Structures are given as structure tokens and as C-alpha cells.
Amino acid sequence: MGAIDLVILDNDGVVVDSELLANRVLAELLTEAGHPTSVEDSIRDYLGGTLAGVHGIVRRRWGTELPEGFDDAYHERLFAAFATDLRPVPGVGDVLHALTVPYCLASSGTRDRIRRSLVVTGLLERFEGRIFSAEDVAHGKPAPDLFLHVASTLDVEPARCVVVEDSPNGVAAARAAGMRALGYAALTPPDRLAGAVATFSTMGA
């Protein structure tokens, strides 16, 4: 694969096992807002994106705006689910322990969401000081901005970074940034991560 100076991990679905929880909450809220959405629909359309992206898709698809307070309601329900049900992705602790190169976290989530999830799962100390959010840049995934910001901040050439992602948006962002992507296909069909240099479905050995 060539020399690697930095491993960049997505958070949701790669470090913390939050994707089903998050998409269940999102599907419920979209349905309540008059846009019937199953969990499977939500995973297909919104996995790896931002809430701004959700608003944009709804606007383009239905020509309407989501109700005021939608984002706050989403985070309120999500954080309640995190408090009782969130766990680390199985095997991720072993992976982090085994890494011999620097690593960091770069997520489409808000800083508050990222920190809450890492605190609940006991993983915050693994990433403290090396956490990057879509809130840090003008454009989230699939734009390359977040990953380029990470590389610039940590003074690493993009070509020497490897990104671990579980969403098409994340893989596309890594490729656009000139980085290699590994696709974690535990929830996402491998063919949707076709831009990755390799895919895998089990974290760790």
C-alpha cells in the first residue's frame, strides 16, 4: 500500500457502533415530519453525511423544509439512545492498540456528538487532542475539506494518509483528498464502497 504516516478513522460506524441507533432516530423523525423513511432508507440515503445534508436532500426531493427544531430533536433522541445503548465497534480497541503509526478521528458529526459518543464508550482518551469534526470546515463529506484540514493540521502529506470509512460519502471524500480509503463494510454493502482500495467486514483479527 505504500508508506503510511497517519491513519484517519471515521467515528460513527467505525469507532463507535452508532449507525443503527442514529439512522433509527433519523428515520423516526423524518417520518414524523411527513417524509416516510425506513431505517434501511436512512442508511442508504444519509449514512456518513451531515444534518445539513439531510436538509438538502429533503429540500431537493420533496421541495419542503424540515420543521424548526428538527436538529435539536434529533440530537436529544440520539444522545438518550447513546446513554443506554451505545458501544464501541467490536474489535476497534484491539485495532487502536495494535496501530504503530499515529491515528486520529475525523467525523461528519458535531463536536458535541463526537465527544459524547467517545465518553460513553470509554474511548475519549484514545483520541483526545486528535478529534476533527465537519464543524471545522466549510463543506463536509463527500467534499475533501475535512480530510485536507486534518492533513494540514497534523502536517502530513495527504498521499501518506489512510482513511477508514464505512460510507460512500467518506470514501469519496478520502479519494477527493488524495488519500487511500479502506472500506469497513459491516453495515454498508461492499459495492457501495467500491472507491476504497480494499474493504473488510470485521474489525481486528
Side-chain angles (χ1 to χ4, degrees):
M1 183 181 285
I4 300 170
D5 290 340
L6 178 68
V7 174
I8 304 172
L9 298 118
D10 179 37
N11 188 44
D12 294 292
V14 171
V15 172
V16 299
D17 201 6
S18 57
E19 293 291 18
L20 281 176
L21 294 176
N23 282 283
R24 187 177 300 125
V25 169
L26 183 58
E28 289 173 356
L29 282 167
L30 287 169
T31 299
E32 291 170 16
H35 307 298
T37 304
S38 67
V39 174
E40 293 75 18
D41 294 336
S42 183
I43 290 171
R44 181 193 67 226
D45 294 341
Y46 306 114
L47 182 73
T50 62
L51 279 177
V54 173
H55 283 267
I57 290 173
V58 168
R59 193 177 299 118
R60 291 190 299 272
R61 185 172 293 172
W62 286 290
T64 60
E65 298 291 338
L66 289 170
E68 185 176 351
F70 182 91
D71 292 10
D72 289 340
Y74 170 77
H75 284 117
E76 181 179 353
R77 291 192 196 182
L78 181 65
F79 294 158
F82 277 6
T84 57
D85 298 327
L86 187 62
R87 302 289 184 272
V89 165
V92 75
D94 293 336
V95 170
L96 296 177
H97 181 72
L99 282 174
T100 57
V101 297
Y103 63 86
C104 67
L105 187 149
S107 172
S108 293
T110 63
R111 296 184 198 90
D112 185 30
R113 171 175 173 166
I114 296 166
R115 293 190 70 84
R116 283 174 184 257
S117 69
L118 294 176
V119 168
V120 167
T121 55
L123 294 170
L124 180 61
E125 66 178 22
R126 301 269 197 166
F127 295 99
E128 191 69 89
R130 293 168 289 124
I131 298 171
F132 299 86
S133 163
E135 290 184 322
D136 299 333
V137 294
H139 304 288
K141 306 169 191 177
D145 302 33
L146 179 57
F147 292 141
L148 292 175
H149 171 63
V150 171
S152 175
T153 301
L154 299 181
D155 195 26
V156 179
E157 289 293 326
R160 297 174 72 92
C161 297
V162 168
V163 179
V164 184
E165 275 284 355
D166 70 327
S167 74
N169 278 342
V171 170
R175 285 172 57 88
M179 300 177 180
R180 291 159 286 177
L182 296 176
Y184 181 48
L187 188 61
T188 308
D191 63 295
R192 297 200 67 207
L193 303 173
V197 297
T199 61
F200 61 102
S201 59
T202 303
M203 194 71 71

